[in-house]
Amino acid sequence: MSIFRKKGRSGEKIETQWSTAMRNFRKDKMALTGIAIFVIILIVALVQTMLNPKGWSTLTTDFAKPPSWHHPFGTTDSGLDLMSGCLKGALQDLIIAVIVSTMALVIGTAVGAVAGYFGGLLDSVLMRVVDLLLVVPLLTILIVMSNIFSSGGGSPLAIALLIGFLSWTYISRLVRAEFLALRERPFVEASIALGASSWRVITRHLIPNAIGVIMVNTTLTVAGAILLESTLSYLGLGIVPPAVSLGMLVQDGQGSATTSPWQFFFPAGLLLIIVLCVFVIGDGMQAAFDPRNARRRK
Amino acid sequence: MVAYSGDPLFPLKMNPLTPPATIKIREHDLFLDHSLPWRYWHWFSGLFHGNFGLDLSNNPVRPQLFLHMGVTLRMVVLAFVLAVIIAVSLGVLSALKRGGLIDRGITFTTFFFLATPVFVTGLFLKFYLAIPLDKYFGRQILATNGAQSPLASGSFLHRLPDLAAHFTLPTITLILAVFSSWTIYQRSSILETMNMDHVMLARSKGISPRRVLRRHILRNALIPIITVLALDFAGLLGGAVVTETVYSWNGLGRWFLGGASNIDLNVTLAYLLFTAVLVIMFNLLADIAYGFLDPRIRYR
Amino acid sequence: MAQPVVSVKGLEVSFATEGGMLNAVRGLTFELAEQEVLGIVGESGSGKSVTALALIGLLPKTAVVKGSVEIDGEEIVGRAEKDMYKMRGSKIAMIFQDPMTSLNPVYTIGWQIIEAVRSHGKVSKDEAKVRAIELLRLSGIPRPEAALDSYPHEFSGGMRQRVVIAIAMANSPRVMLADEPTTALDVTVQAQVLLSLQSALEKTKAALVLVTHDLGVVAGMANRVIVMYAGRVVEFANVDELFYRPSMPYTHGLLGAIPSHAEDSDERLSQIPGAPPTMLNHAGGCPFAPRCPLAQDVCRSTEPALEPVATADGSVHLSACHFRDEVSSMPVASMFKGAEQILEGAEDSGH
């Protein structure tokens, strides 16, 4: 029974969700630091791999040497330059993570959108598939699948596709939940009532309004993919030589962890820093898109 | 469940000395000459009689499953319970001291462990905590290999110190693998509940702040985290596979890893079934706990 | 006037925000005696809810509160939480806006009332239960014994609000605060809830601060009324004075927006153009000036003080308007009638 009518004030700058988020994000020092470190690692890895593509395959006679000017990260038991390996591995991990998160973004959004928008039988079927994938630990499925498709390890692309194919469930659930809520909102109902097609409603109204959830969780999928890939590689089921990943380097280095700790610390540390950066960026995005519910991950 | 396309007899076939007849016999033993649906049905119908089939070396799977299950469940359940207690306490503490030094410390710690893969935590503790410690004291304080000493015998109480030495690190590793996201969730759940209308009403009644926290904020904030715990239980089992590998535990995870890399059908299926049942059981437990904590669901 | 149970002097509440200090309440002063009802009206964002929370000490920690609030002679402003919580419930109680969310969903209604009863003084469980049943009956819940074991979600909004009223009167407080107690309810239920609120007042002899934007509720319940605009009191008067001789254009606007039930009424409702200003960095001048059809240069440069208007019966009537005497003699809402078109231009100068 409100007796007051509010009118939009003309000339007021309309703030979209996007511009608000960008403004919030720019004030988040933690997230900006995360991005800075992440970009630096990426550039260094790119430059190093381009300038010295054979760094990781050139054998030297320096076996298990501690870090020095010549080998900033030291060398491995078999005399390889660890820095080249770490950076190449980091680059490999990031490429895999990008493929995985792109797949998760596309499949997850599509499945979540269809399930959340159309509902009914389609929704039930899709969500049962998601449940099935959630019942068995992701790592377990990956172990089985990687054994089947690549007999215990494989090319980076195969691993990426495998992880990507299994990583979309979380995004799809969130997108579905978001769509279910948005569908009830007046502007969506109005749009449907005006005869807009499903495609138009989904692409023009629902996805733009769910963009925060989608972006944040795609970022978090990057972190999850790196963690999964490195774990698989550690178990000897991920990437196989001559390709290299950080998880593989940790596994190689663990035998000499007490005698030459740099073989453990550099790959493990780099892995940790990269994932930490991605998490911090994701958290910053979360806070930027939804300041009230910041840090409500998972 | 899984369309098995790998060939367990691959090594055998690659050996030119193996007579074709041997392969035929092995194929028959493993039912590989039958169609996939038939094999699946055969396995499935065996389940009803408690029969998990034989592994590749013709040993029955069932006793192995139960043997390894005991080892793994001890670790997983202990880690789960401790992680829940730690996560809830830290989450509450963090929420109450929001913005302060303690909150920032806890947030940083949770993010740090969230970003650390399980195997890195495990290896770190193993090589840079347990081994130096044991060296320093000149005897084994924290064991890094296996679930118990091979020679340990006697009553359970007698073996307890030995078990504890073997237990400590893997359990800590698993806890560190899962407590972070639960702590973050618990923190935000508390913060959200704190600002709810019914908490304002409770405060306006004039009850003590401690009682408001315990009976109104904490009690209500525990409800949503139950779903998360149940969902993450699958992840905990995944973490157990890695932890067992790091500490060379003869548990389900390693058993499964071995089975999977040998493409041992019955072992893999048994493990997958076990994890699925466990996860479903946990979700059921979560539903029951939900009904217990939230009357709105109880009455539905 | 008898010894006041509530005495508020120069209350100021502000919040530090990214955009600067937000002054939610600026200089609020009033006194209230037993069984008196004070209505506080204003648009959303005018500072009325913040005022209620300040009176019971439930503002978030980020709020800066100045001035003085005395309840039954005890100062509340600046009191530490560990001393403050004992006053809640026993001296001052509050009824919240949305009964759908203000009861804890996981406890029975009986549990929640008994908790309130037992939080002040030693009461045995059985005594508390008897008292809870009595409270439920007083607030008009049918079959109170059965209601004890019900959960909030089994009750309708109106019933829940009566439970909240029962909780508020559990320890016979000296003052009750009601923040929009009927806004979230169906119109048909509103009257019943107001009735149980009234009987709660009679029973406890408490004073009531009724925060609302519904002038109909004010007319039916309040003795005196404060009109708030942009965190400031712009008019204060007895309820009759306010309705018949409003002395501030904003009050005229509020009254003009109420539908008349007279049969021959075919008048259009008037509206106040524009929207209330944000309370960040007040620039000076009358905050209502951008929306006021009578605004002169003086209004835009100098903020008018809250000063008395002459009244026929000698009661206190204060208004914060440079032209308070002229405005008080104008017919209600006359300055807004048919003025909409002329005023369209004024909106842009809003902010």
Side-chain angles (χ1 to χ4, degrees):
Chain A
M1 208 170 95
S2 178
I3 45 176
F4 303 105
R5 202 176 297 169
K6 262 192 186 168
K7 271 194 178 178
R9 274 159 284 179
S10 51
E12 187 181 34
K13 198 182 136 218
I14 291 169
E15 277 218 326
T16 61
Q17 190 191 10
W18 187 257
S19 62
T20 316
M22 284 304 287
R23 201 190 37 175
N24 288 339
F25 193 81
R26 274 201 293 272
K27 273 188 277 185
D28 191 337
K29 287 199 192 85
M30 277 281 281
L32 291 181
T33 316
I35 286 193
I37 296 175
F38 186 82
V39 170
I40 289 171
I41 292 176
L42 187 68
I43 291 174
V44 171
L46 272 173
V47 169
Q48 153 79 18
T49 315
M50 273 195 301
L51 288 183
N52 189 7
K54 290 213 181 307
W56 180 240
S57 43
T58 316
L59 285 168
T60 64
T61 47
D62 298 333
F63 300 117
K65 284 283 182 319
S68 63
W69 182 245
H70 194 56
H71 299 293
F73 287 9
T75 61
T76 67
D77 286 349
S78 44
L80 292 168
D81 177 40
L82 196 57
M83 189 173 87
S84 312
C86 280
L87 292 174
K88 200 175 167 200
L91 204 58
Q92 185 63 263
D93 281 340
L94 288 176
I95 292 170
I96 292 178
V98 167
I99 298 176
V100 170
S101 53
T102 311
M103 285 176 72
L105 169 72
V106 173
I107 305 178
T109 309
V111 171
V114 168
Y117 184 79
F118 294 106
L121 188 66
L122 203 56
D123 179 31
S124 311
V125 171
L126 287 173
M127 283 304 113
R128 288 300 83 73
V129 172
V130 170
D131 283 350
L132 204 67
L133 286 174
L134 284 171
V135 159
V136 180
L138 201 53
L139 188 64
T140 317
I141 311 180
L142 278 171
I143 289 170
V144 175
M145 301 276 262
S146 73
N147 270 305
I148 294 167
F149 290 121
S150 43
S151 45
S155 73
L157 184 66
I159 297 293
L161 291 179
L162 206 56
I163 300 179
F165 191 67
L166 294 167
S167 295
W168 52 269
T169 49
Y170 198 65
I171 292 185
S172 77
R173 277 169 74 107
L174 290 173
V175 169
R176 173 178 174 269
E178 196 79 357
F179 270 37
L180 283 178
L182 284 171
R183 249 194 78 105
E184 308 294 317
R185 297 272 288 275
F187 71 91
V188 177
E189 287 183 337
S191 178
I192 296 172
L194 287 171
S197 68
S198 302
W199 175 252
R200 194 185 158 80
V201 173
I202 289 176
T203 53
R204 289 298 178 86
H205 293 289
L206 297 178
I207 289 183
N209 277 286
I211 195 77
V213 171
I214 296 173
M215 296 253 315
V216 168
N217 286 284
T218 305
T219 310
L220 294 178
T221 307
V222 171
I226 298 176
L227 287 177
L228 269 177
E229 189 285 320
S230 62
T231 305
L232 272 184
S233 291
Y234 170 76
L235 293 174
L237 296 168
I239 285 171
V240 287
V244 61
S245 81
L246 290 171
M248 193 171 125
L249 289 172
V250 174
Q251 199 222 4
D252 287 348
Q254 67 169 332
S256 338
T258 40
T259 50
S260 46
W262 59 89
Q263 290 193 42
F264 170 78
F265 273 107
F266 280 111
L270 193 60
L271 182 61
L272 202 160
I273 291 172
I274 292 176
V275 180
L276 194 58
C277 284
V278 178
F279 270 132
V280 168
I281 296 168
D283 186 62
M285 282 166 66
Q286 173 104 64
F289 274 109
D290 191 1
R292 282 191 318 115
N293 292 331
R295 302 233 162 80
R296 264 204 68 192
R297 212 188 71 78
K298 214 172 170 189
Chain B
M1 195 183 277
V2 181
Y4 246 69
S5 52
D7 187 348
L9 299 184
F10 186 69
L12 212 57
K13 280 180 184 163
M14 286 319 280
N15 188 341
L17 292 177
T18 318
T22 315
I23 293 177
K24 271 273 178 309
I25 294 167
R26 282 296 284 158
E27 273 185 355
H28 183 73
D29 284 352
L30 296 170
F31 304 112
L32 291 185
D33 47 355
H34 291 280
S35 68
L36 249 176
W38 186 93
R39 284 160 63 196
Y40 185 62
W41 170 246
H42 182 80
W43 177 78
F44 199 72
S45 57
L47 272 187
F48 282 105
H49 307 109
N51 184 358
F52 286 85
L54 304 175
D55 68 4
L56 282 181
S57 345
N58 278 333
N59 297 316
V61 166
R62 200 165 91 127
Q64 296 183 51
L65 178 70
F66 286 116
L67 179 76
H68 297 302
M69 192 193 294
V71 176
T72 298
L73 278 186
R74 275 201 308 243
M75 172 173 73
V76 168
V77 170
L78 186 66
F80 182 80
V81 172
L82 289 177
V84 170
I85 295 171
I86 292 172
V88 169
S89 333
L90 286 184
V92 172
L93 188 66
S94 189
L96 289 183
K97 307 274 175 193
R98 177 165 53 150
L101 212 61
I102 294 176
D103 179 31
R104 268 183 268 171
I106 292 175
T107 305
F108 177 78
T109 314
T110 51
F111 266 68
F112 184 83
F113 283 109
L114 204 61
T116 315
V118 190
F119 63 90
V120 170
T121 320
L123 290 173
F124 184 86
L125 290 176
K126 178 173 164 180
F127 289 120
Y128 303 108
L129 181 70
I131 291 179
L133 207 66
D134 291 348
K135 252 189 202 151
Y136 181 80
F137 286 101
R139 65 194 173 89
Q140 196 179 50
I141 291 171
L142 293 169
T144 55
N145 259 310
Q148 53 184 299
S149 302
L151 298 175
S153 60
S155 70
F156 177 72
L157 269 180
H158 200 70
R159 286 185 297 145
L160 200 60
D162 177 61
L163 278 178
H166 286 83
F167 243 88
T168 313
L169 285 185
T171 310
I172 292 177
T173 306
L174 258 191
I175 292 172
L176 291 180
V178 292
F179 89 103
S180 302
S181 64
W182 297 349
T183 306
I184 295 171
Y185 194 88
Q186 179 68 16
R187 176 182 182 274
S188 65
S189 179
I190 293 268
L191 286 179
E192 206 179 325
T193 314
M194 265 179 172
N195 293 322
M196 284 186 172
D197 287 357
H198 68 77
V199 173
M200 292 293 268
L201 179 76
R203 292 180 66 196
S204 81
K205 286 200 258 188
I207 52 187
S208 70
R210 263 189 58 176
R211 192 181 161 90
V212 173
L213 176 67
R214 271 214 334 267
R215 292 303 186 99
H216 291 276
I217 299 176
L218 197 54
R219 171 72 161 73
N220 289 58
L222 278 177
I223 298 172
I225 200 173
I226 287 176
T227 319
V228 177
L229 292 181
L231 270 179
D232 274 9
F233 193 72
L236 193 63
L237 287 174
V241 175
V242 180
T243 311
E244 285 175 10
T245 309
V246 171
Y247 294 103
S248 320
W249 273 41
N250 204 6
L252 266 188
R254 279 228 301 168
W255 178 64
F256 157 71
L257 263 184
S261 59
N262 293 330
I263 319 211
D264 193 331
L265 179 66
N266 285 340
V267 169
T268 314
L269 281 182
Y271 178 78
L272 289 182
L273 184 77
F274 163 77
T275 51
V277 167
L278 210 59
V279 170
I280 290 170
M281 247 171 60
F282 249 79
N283 278 288
L284 215 68
L285 275 178
D287 283 349
I288 294 170
Y290 237 113
F292 188 71
L293 286 174
D294 193 341
R296 281 167 298 183
I297 286 166
R298 206 183 307 160
Y299 278 81
R300 232 167 249 164
Chain C
M1 197 161 73
Q3 164 74 17
V5 289
V6 195
S7 157
V8 176
K9 286 194 194 84
L11 180 69
E12 310 221 348
V13 183
S14 47
F15 297 90
T17 67
E18 285 175 20
M21 286 306 274
L22 188 147
N23 302 312
V25 178
R26 299 186 292 143
L28 181 71
T29 300
F30 67 85
E31 283 187 348
L32 214 51
E34 265 183 10
Q35 273 189 293
E36 259 191 312
V37 177
L38 172 77
I40 302 185
V41 293
E43 286 166 276
S44 26
S46 60
K48 52 196 187 354
S49 290
V50 172
T51 304
L53 290 176
L55 293 187
I56 196 169
L58 283 178
L59 283 169
K61 281 178 193 146
T62 50
V64 183
V65 184
K66 286 184 206 148
S68 150
V69 175
E70 279 182 17
I71 293 185
D72 223 15
E74 287 191 68
E75 180 62 49
I76 279 187
V77 175
R79 193 177 266 252
E81 178 66 21
K82 66 175 174 19
D83 300 324
M84 182 65 217
Y85 81 82
K86 293 184 183 117
M87 287 187 71
R88 297 194 197 110
S90 60
K91 297 275 185 194
I92 181 163
M94 182 153 176
I95 294 148
F96 293 85
Q97 174 168 2
D98 188 357
M100 302 311 273
T101 56
S102 57
L103 289 168
N104 192 328
V106 307
Y107 296 115
T108 61
I109 280 156
W111 191 98
Q112 298 188 52
I113 300 178
I114 289 169
E115 182 183 45
V117 171
R118 296 189 73 197
S119 60
H120 299 280
K122 280 206 184 317
V123 186
S124 78
K125 273 190 180 154
D126 292 334
E127 285 167 354
K129 198 173 166 185
V130 173
R131 174 96 177 110
I133 294 172
E134 185 199 338
L135 287 167
L136 283 174
R137 184 174 294 121
L138 281 173
S139 57
I141 301 268
R143 302 202 304 121
E145 291 87 353
L148 283 186
D149 294 323
S150 308
Y151 284 94
H153 67 272
E154 297 168 297
F155 273 20
S156 68
M159 294 274 275
R160 288 190 212 187
Q161 196 63 305
R162 283 184 239 184
V163 173
V164 175
I165 292 171
I167 289 174
M169 61 195 247
N171 291 292
S172 308
R174 304 288 286 150
V175 195
M176 287 200 214
L177 308 171
D179 184 4
E180 308 261 12
T182 55
T183 308
L185 300 174
D186 285 346
V187 183
T188 46
V189 189
Q190 291 184 356
Q192 298 168 18
V193 167
L194 288 177
L195 222 70
S196 39
L197 192 56
Q198 212 130 37
S199 71
L201 286 187
E202 279 159 23
K203 196 74 196 167
T204 57
K205 297 203 165 28
L208 175 70
V209 177
L210 180 65
V211 173
T212 181
H213 65 242
D214 188 338
L215 284 168
V217 172
V218 169
M221 300 262 316
N223 309 112
R224 285 181 292 158
V225 188
I226 281 178
V227 180
M228 284 185 83
Y229 188 79
R232 201 172 167 229
V233 179
V234 292
E235 183 155 9
F236 171 82
N238 286 341
V239 69
D240 290 345
E241 271 284 316
L242 189 96
F243 275 83
Y244 293 111
R245 292 197 335 124
S247 313
M248 162 80 197
Y250 178 62
T251 315
H252 277 266
L254 289 182
L255 292 170
I258 308 175
S260 163
H261 292 298
E263 272 171 38
D264 57 346
S265 170
D266 54 356
E267 265 182 285
R268 269 189 66 184
L269 295 182
S270 63
Q271 63 164 337
I272 307 174
T278 58
M279 281 177 277
L280 285 170
N281 310 321
H282 179 60
C286 173
F288 188 62
R291 301 167 74 188
C292 181
L294 306 174
Q296 308 289 318
D297 285 346
V298 62
C299 300
R300 283 181 274 271
S301 61
T302 318
E303 186 162 16
L306 189 65
E307 277 169 7
V309 189
T311 52
D313 57 358
S315 66
V316 183
H317 187 162
L318 307 172
S319 159
C321 179
H322 291 296
F323 306 100
R324 57 182 71 81
D325 290 322
E326 291 89 325
V327 171
S328 72
S329 57
M330 289 179 182
V332 172
S334 54
M335 65 282 280
F336 289 97
K337 293 270 157 67
E340 276 92 12
Q341 289 79 16
I342 308 162
L343 288 164
E344 283 305 342
E347 285 179 36
D348 294 333
S349 58
H351 271 273

